[in-house]
Each structure stands twice: as C-alpha cells, then as structure tokens.
C-alpha cells in the first residue's frame, strides 16, 4: 500500500504532483480557488478536490473522502499563508482573520493525526515578530505531539530552472529522524537547469499570440525537456499576454540580461524616471538563455520582474512560467489566463515536492520510530 497524503491549500497541485512522483498517493486536496480546483481535478483524477474554506472542512468529511481513519494518514501537506502566524505577535492580536487559517490547520492535524506534516512558506515568515512565528509553529505542533524542524530550500538546487527560496517545515509524531533533502544540482553536482533547457523547445510567439494546443518547435534534447514532455506530442497553455505599444517599444531596447536601465529615459514609466539606477534591478528584465529565472510570481508582469523572453519581445506564456516552475506539460491549467498565472505562481515546484517526498520515504524506511508524547 502506498503512503498517503492530503494537501491543504493545494492550489493547482504542484506539491501533490511532486509527492506522487516520489511514490505517495494523494487522496484529497483542499482549496477555495475554483479554477485551481478544476486544474487539480484534471491532473489528480484519483484524488478528491474539496472546494471550501478550511474552517468548513470537517474531520468526518476527510475520513469519508479519503477512506482514512485518524492515525492512518501518512502525510498532511500544505502551507497556510504566513500572515496567519502574526497572531502570535501580541501587537496584532486575534483580530487578523488570516490567523484562522493556522488555527484550522492545527485542528485538522489534531483530528487526522498524520504521521508526518510538511508545511511550505515564504522567507518572510522569519521576520514576523523577530522569529516568533517560527517558534509558534513549532510550539503549537509540539503540543499535538509533533517534533518539527525547518530549513530554507533553494528550488534551483533540485533541478528547478528558477531562483526560488522557500521555508520547508517537516515534522512527525513517531519519533523518526527529521531530515530535509540534500541538493542534487549545483557545484560538484548536476549543473543547474537553464532557461534554455526549460523552454527552448516551445514555439515562437508574437506579443498577444495564443497558439492553443500546438506542436513543439524542436526535439527534447535536454533532460528537463524529456521530463516535461514525457510522451506528449503537443503542448497547451502557450499564449503570450498582450502588452501595449509602449511596452513593446521599451522591450526593443532591452538586451538579454538587461533591465529598465536599458530603456531610453523618455520611454520610462513616470515613476521609474525618478528611480535610482541601483533600484528595481529585475524590472523590465529580459531573461538569458544560460541563466536561471527570477522567482515566478502570480503575475508575470514585465513591470515587476524579469519576465521578458530571452529573444522575443513579449512576456513569457503560462506554459513557460509553468516550465520554469518545473511543471510537466501534462499539467493543463484551467480558468482564465490571469487565473492560470496565479495557479502557477502560487505553486510548490513539483520537482521540489518530489525531493521532499523522496527524503520522507527514505526516512520512513530507515529511521527508528519512537512515539513522541504530546505536551
């Protein structure tokens, strides 16, 4: 029997996909985002998507949907937004409605009693209350019987063609060792996956052009492309956002690796005409084929980051953003184009999720298990 997982705040299912690649069976995903739910359902046909606020999800419902009784779940995954933990900073108090998310997360941990928990969060969590948020997470889970350790993981060190830093909390209630995955890419390891490795086989697009479902433009001649394409002969979600005339004029002046500082002064947005040249180094950035992508956000807006294609005068497509997040091409994103970008940007890169899942399985196989008593 495969180890099992439930993914809270699952979005489109990036972490779920990674855990499944590692050998887990994801039984359910929970999220409010309807478009992401449609993507999750289309890409995790064996799992149940529960579209409702986490506070409305009952333990009985999870038992019914997953077929798992309390104590039988292997991993409860998912990361409540970091703002939730500000409740433990007394200056903010309980008024912040987002505090509910973490409290409800704890309720589900207590109710389902998973052997392991995996939580993902942004680096900003370390700055909340001078580290108070991190201490609170560990303290509250300790009360439920879980020892927890956190570590910053760099997505590019696990084959993701993107500079992305995330805090990963791993914990268990069975007394097993807690270990995070070790890098597979970097110095003295496999080379980083470059932007060309990731998106160099996708068809050329003009500004605003959407090819629908289309053929690849070249062979899968990199390990990453082989992973992304699998047995597929065509690719979807490859459409460029339509940018206005002034942005097209701006991009014409930006070389690979360049940014807003290469744009003639008269073409700059009004606010950037007052900026220091040392500021906003990623804005209007053009990618380089041999580099890594900047962090993929929920809106690949050229005004906010380096989201200009290395050669073509346009912003990257949803599929290119998804490739840079290490999503395989069988992931077809549903909803409007805006909703698709949000799904991609919010996700845990599947290859990072896979690395976490493999390390968990390794620990489960070799680690000694001594039950941890709740406080």
């Amino acid at each position: 029997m495969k180890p099992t997982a439930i993914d809270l705040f699952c979005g489109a299912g990036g972490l779920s996909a990674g855990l499944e690649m590692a050998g887990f069976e994801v039984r359910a995903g929970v999220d409010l985002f309807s478009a992401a739910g449609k993507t999750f359902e289309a890409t995790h046909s064996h799992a149940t998507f529960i579209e409702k606020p986490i506070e409305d999800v009952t333990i009985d419902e999870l038992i019914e949907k997953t077929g798992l009784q309390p104590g039988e779940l292997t991993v409860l995954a998912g990361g409540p937004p970091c703002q939730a933990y500000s409740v433990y900073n007394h200056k903010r108090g309980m008024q912040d409605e987002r505090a509910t998310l973490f409290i409800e997360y704890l309720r589900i941990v207590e109710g389902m009693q998973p052997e392991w928990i995996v939580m993902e969060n942004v680096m900003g969590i370390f700055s909340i209350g001078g580290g108070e948020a991190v201490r609170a997470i560990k303290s509250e889970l300790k009360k439920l019987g879980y020892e927890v350790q956190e570590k910053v993981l760099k997505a590019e060190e696990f084959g993701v063609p993107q500079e992305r830093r995330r805090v990963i909390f791993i914990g268990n209630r069975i007394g097993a060792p807690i270990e995070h995955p070790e890098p597979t890419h970097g110095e003295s390891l496999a080379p980083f996956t470059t932007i060309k490795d990731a998106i160099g086989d996708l068809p050329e697009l003009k500004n605003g052009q959407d090819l629908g479902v289309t053929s690849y433009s070249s062979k899968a001649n990199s390990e990453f492309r082989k992973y992304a394409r699998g047995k597929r002969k065509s690719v979807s979600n490859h459409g460029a956002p339509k940018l206005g005339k002034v942005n097209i004029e701006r991009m014409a002046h930006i070389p690979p690796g360049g940014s807003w500082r290469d744009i003639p002064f008269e073409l700059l947005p009004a606010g950037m005409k007052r900026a220091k040249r040392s500021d906003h180094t990623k804005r209007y950035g053009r990618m380089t084929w041999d580099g890594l992508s900047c962090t993929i956000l929920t809106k690949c807006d050229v005004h906010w980051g380096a989201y200009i294609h290395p050669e073509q005068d346009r912003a990257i497509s949803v599929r290119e953003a998804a490739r840079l997040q290490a999503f395989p091409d069988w992931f077809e994103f549903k909803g409007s184009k805006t909703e698709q970008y949000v799904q991609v940007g919010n996700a845990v890169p599947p290859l990072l999720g896979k690395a976490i899942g493999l390390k968990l399985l390794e620990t489960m196989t070799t680690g000694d298990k001594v039950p941890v008593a709740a406080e």
Side-chain angles (χ1 to χ4, degrees):
M1 182 177 174
K2 287 185 175 182
T4 55
I6 293 174
D7 191 356
L8 304 179
F9 312 98
C10 65
L15 180 54
S16 290
L19 291 174
E20 289 179 340
M21 290 176 194
F24 286 81
E25 181 180 291
V26 177
R27 297 283 183 94
V30 178
D31 206 290
L32 262 179
F33 189 7
S34 180
K38 290 180 172 61
T39 301
F40 185 94
E41 288 177 325
T43 51
H44 300 80
S45 58
H46 52 280
T48 299
F49 178 70
I50 302 172
E51 184 185 336
K52 60 173 62 174
I54 190 170
E55 54 266 37
D56 293 344
V57 178
T58 67
I59 300 303
D60 286 343
E61 182 176 17
L62 289 174
I63 291 170
E64 178 190 349
K65 301 291 188 185
T66 64
L68 297 168
Q69 293 296 318
E72 294 180 348
L73 175 66
T74 313
V75 177
L76 183 68
C82 68
Q83 294 93 332
Y85 312 125
S86 64
V87 64
Y88 295 104
N89 181 339
H90 301 299
K91 293 180 181 178
R92 303 216 181 175
M94 291 291 289
Q95 289 73 30
D96 188 340
E97 63 183 19
R98 294 166 298 191
T100 303
L101 299 176
F102 183 49
I103 294 169
E104 294 296 330
Y105 172 85
L106 291 171
R107 175 180 63 83
I108 291 178
V109 172
E110 183 176 24
M112 289 304 296
Q113 300 170 39
E115 289 189 352
W116 293 80
I117 61 99
V118 173
M119 291 177 57
E120 178 255 5
N121 232 290
V122 296
M123 293 288 289
I125 195 168
F126 285 122
S127 64
I128 296 175
E132 188 178 359
V134 173
R135 292 190 292 273
I137 291 169
K138 297 167 77 170
S139 172
E140 294 301 308
L141 286 166
K142 177 76 171 178
K143 292 175 184 177
L144 298 179
Y146 292 82
E147 292 291 344
V148 179
Q149 295 295 330
E150 77 283 354
K151 186 175 182 180
V152 176
L153 297 184
K154 300 177 180 179
E156 65 269 28
E157 293 184 338
F158 299 93
V160 180
Q162 174 195 171
E163 293 180 341
R164 192 180 188 92
R165 309 284 184 272
R166 287 298 184 268
V167 185
I168 305 297
F169 294 83
I170 296 177
N172 69 71
R173 61 171 175 80
I174 55 177
I178 299 172
E179 299 178 1
H180 288 75
E182 294 298 322
T184 54
H185 293 64
E187 188 175 351
S188 302
L189 300 169
F192 290 130
T193 304
T194 67
I195 290 171
K196 188 158 192 174
D197 292 332
I199 67 171
D201 62 330
L202 297 177
E204 183 174 344
L205 293 173
K206 294 181 172 61
N207 177 51
Q209 183 180 17
D210 192 332
L211 298 176
V213 178
T214 185
S215 301
Y216 297 100
S217 62
S218 63
K219 294 181 179 179
N221 55 2
S222 77
E223 287 303 312
F224 184 90
R225 293 182 197 175
K226 291 174 184 176
Y227 151 77
R229 286 161 64 158
K231 296 181 180 179
R232 291 181 67 91
K233 303 298 182 185
S234 59
V235 63
S236 61
N237 299 121
H238 187 47
K242 186 169 181 58
L243 303 180
K245 180 181 177 182
V246 67
N247 273 328
I248 299 302
E249 292 175 355
R250 290 166 181 159
M251 285 189 285
H253 297 277
I254 304 170
S259 69
W260 70 275
R261 289 168 291 189
D262 297 291
I263 300 172
F265 183 80
E266 63 274 13
L267 285 178
L268 286 173
M272 301 194 77
K273 289 179 179 178
R274 300 187 295 272
K276 295 179 181 178
R277 294 189 64 77
S278 58
D279 292 343
H280 316 302
T281 55
K282 297 290 187 183
R283 287 192 178 186
Y284 286 93
R286 188 185 290 274
M287 297 175 171
T288 60
W289 280 129
D290 60 354
L292 292 165
S293 166
C294 66
T295 302
I296 297 297
L297 303 176
T298 56
K299 189 176 182 181
C300 292
D301 188 334
V302 298
H303 184 73
W304 296 108
Y307 302 121
I308 301 174
H309 188 277
E311 291 180 351
Q312 300 158 34
D313 286 342
R314 61 173 179 83
I316 59 172
S317 69
V318 170
R319 178 55 55 194
E320 287 164 334
R323 285 275 191 100
L324 297 170
Q325 274 276 63
F327 274 100
D329 291 352
W330 53 260
F331 245 89
E332 296 188 16
F333 296 90
K334 308 299 183 181
S336 68
K337 191 167 288 184
T338 297
E339 290 171 327
Q340 291 170 18
Y341 278 112
V342 171
Q343 292 171 56
V344 172
N346 272 337
V348 175
L351 286 182
L352 180 57
K354 178 183 179 182
I356 293 167
L358 289 173
K359 176 53 72 173
L360 288 177
L361 291 177
E362 178 187 323
T363 307
M364 291 173 197
T365 303
T366 62
D368 293 326
K369 299 180 180 182
V370 181
V372 178
E375 290 185 346

